[in-house]
Amino acid sequence: AVLPKFYLEDVGLEIFEVLKRGGKKVAVSKLPQVMVEDFLREYLEIDVVVGGELKVFHGYFVGLIEEKKKDMIWLEEILVKNRVDSNMIGISGFNVSLDDHQLFSRCKEIYLVGKADKRSWQRLPKQKYPKPLIFHDGRLALRPTPLDAVAIFMWAPFGFVLAIFRILVSKSLPTNISTPLNAFSGMYLTTTMPKNSYSLSNTEKGKKSKGLLYVCNHKTLLDPVYLNVILNTSVTGVTYSVSRISETLSPIKTVRLSRNRDQDGRMVESLLNQGDVVVCPEGTTCREPYLLRFSPLFAELGDVIVPVAIDSHVTMFYGTTASGLKCLDPLFCLMNPTPMYTVQFLEKVSGLSKSCSTSSNGGVSKFDVANHVQSEIGKALGFECTNLTRRDKYLILVGNEGKV
């Protein structure tokens, strides 16, 4: 769940093109098999993977690799089982002893790659990935090279203090004071408004039966907070999953939904009768430039729907997690030296709530509205729309359906 992102960023375009020309592909690695097998099979389309075995103590990996077997019968059995013939070409680095692997004794040709060759390679572009990288986990947003690791350890104590400062400022001070202070601390916010303003005149306010429903894609838990800062008005953030600590630290009102459709619908409708509401219909965050499927529930609830396209950029830590402690998400996000947010407000869309005239819908369904909003946000951000859901994300990353 963590390593595929870093592995893909380390794949050379030239060697990948060579690999694609092969038939059945076998990879032999000194790294533990559990750390490389899924990546090599799923993202590089390797057929057979042979790696080291980690020692296990009472069901836990202890970080030590089992001693190498002197006989290579097990490798031979794998090759025979997978019908790998003797017409093989081997590719290896200069630092690998060819005598160590029986695999190389079966190759008719062997090509050795040096460090100079690797430095000349281009990085494999994302559009050429055999399988798109949509989901990944882990807190580190930068490749953990030795220098970067030193930088992280040096920054972490200061970053923790800075994050606490930013939280206290946002929680205890009015927006007109906290915003300049947060900007001074290194937080960046860029806002784009459409030609038509969302501010309502007094007559329109008198006619308005419900608050505005802001529908945005989900990058971090701070999405509703940033909208509150931009609008400079009280909004309620509706979320499917948030920790008690995050609710306590949030400078705006947050409401947790139950994932019961009828119950959640009544809850959001009640909130809209009280004021403006922010909802993220993806149901979970996505770090990469993709949009997950939008739940159509919001289309039935709001009279006026405002699509909001959100993008974020972090330099050191991700403020989202699938397998870690979610209560630490805001802290890690705010520990970044210069967290950047881009918020684009798009043209309003008519909802399908009961207070709207059904005759004006023109046969438009809630799915049409949800897909239209997803499409408009995707176009604004340059993101690709998918049919993947929260359930898909958690099954891929942590092996459960994400029902916490």
Side-chain angles (χ1 to χ4, degrees), residues 42-311:
E42 291 187 28
Y43 290 96
L44 294 189
E45 299 176 343
I46 302 292
D47 300 288
V48 182
V49 179
V50 179
E53 293 295 331
L54 285 176
K55 290 185 178 181
V56 178
F57 180 75
H58 290 293
Y60 290 91
F61 291 122
V62 296
L64 301 175
I65 297 180
E66 296 279 3
E67 290 185 12
K68 190 175 181 180
K69 297 180 181 179
K70 292 182 179 179
D71 59 346
M72 300 296 288
I73 299 175
W74 57 283
L75 178 57
E76 190 71 27
E77 290 176 352
I78 291 175
L79 297 177
V80 172
K81 180 181 178 181
N82 288 273
R83 299 179 182 178
V84 179
D85 58 31
S86 59
N87 187 28
M88 295 195 296
I89 294 175
I91 303 173
S92 178
F94 279 110
N95 59 339
V96 176
S97 174
L98 303 182
D99 296 331
D100 287 348
H101 291 299
Q102 191 172 351
L103 178 67
F104 290 115
S105 65
R106 298 177 51 142
C107 297
K108 67 174 186 178
E109 295 178 40
I110 298 174
Y111 294 90
L112 299 181
V113 178
K115 291 183 178 179
D117 298 314
K118 291 183 179 181
R119 283 195 293 267
S120 67
W121 290 346
Q122 302 176 55
R123 181 179 291 182
L124 181 67
K126 288 187 176 182
Q127 58 269 26
K128 290 199 173 185
Y129 287 177
K131 175 183 176 181
L133 177 70
I134 300 177
F135 301 125
H136 57 85
D137 205 3
R139 291 294 190 184
L140 293 183
L142 72 174
R143 298 180 69 228
T145 60
L147 285 177
D148 285 342
V150 172
I152 290 170
F153 283 115
M154 291 179 65
W155 172 260
F158 180 74
F160 178 79
V161 174
L162 183 61
I164 298 299
F165 169 78
R166 288 166 171 171
I167 291 172
L168 292 176
V169 165
S170 301
K171 179 74 174 176
S172 58
L173 297 177
T175 303
N176 59 344
I177 299 177
S178 63
T179 301
L181 286 175
N182 281 326
F184 179 76
S185 73
M187 299 179 69
Y188 288 85
L189 173 61
T190 304
T191 308
T192 304
M193 299 292 290
K195 295 179 181 178
N196 300 323
S197 175
Y198 297 132
S199 59
L200 302 173
S201 65
N202 292 331
T203 55
E204 288 174 321
K205 283 184 178 180
K207 295 178 182 178
K208 192 181 68 158
S209 59
K210 288 184 177 182
L212 295 175
L213 181 60
Y214 293 93
V215 176
C216 60
N217 59 305
H218 204 3
K219 300 303 289 185
T220 73
L221 281 176
L222 301 179
D223 298 341
V225 177
Y226 275 96
L227 259 67
N228 183 73
V229 170
I230 296 168
L231 298 171
N232 197 22
T233 185
S234 178
V235 296
T236 301
V238 174
T239 179
Y240 285 102
S241 177
V242 65
S243 69
R244 295 296 182 189
I245 295 177
S246 297
E247 285 181 326
T248 304
L249 295 177
S250 175
I252 68 171
K253 180 182 178 182
T254 59
V255 175
R256 187 191 306 225
L257 297 181
S258 64
R259 296 191 181 276
N260 179 294
R261 182 178 180 79
D262 295 333
Q263 185 178 337
D264 291 343
R266 289 193 296 270
M267 173 68 74
V268 175
E269 193 162 10
S270 172
L271 293 172
L272 281 170
N273 290 327
Q274 301 171 31
D276 297 341
V277 175
V278 181
V279 64
C280 302
E282 287 177 289
T284 188
T285 56
C286 185
R287 297 173 177 177
E288 296 300 312
Y290 296 91
L291 294 181
L292 307 187
R293 190 176 70 195
F294 277 29
S295 168
L297 178 62
F298 72 88
E300 303 174 293
L301 303 174
D303 293 346
V304 180
I305 297 170
V306 181
V308 184
I310 294 178
D311 198 7

Side-chain angles (χ1 to χ4, degrees), residues 328-346:
L328 297 179
D329 286 0
L331 186 68
F332 272 102
C333 186
L334 295 173
M335 281 177 63
N336 285 285
T338 55
M340 301 180 186
Y341 248 79
T342 302
V343 180
Q344 302 179 55
F345 290 85
L346 309 180

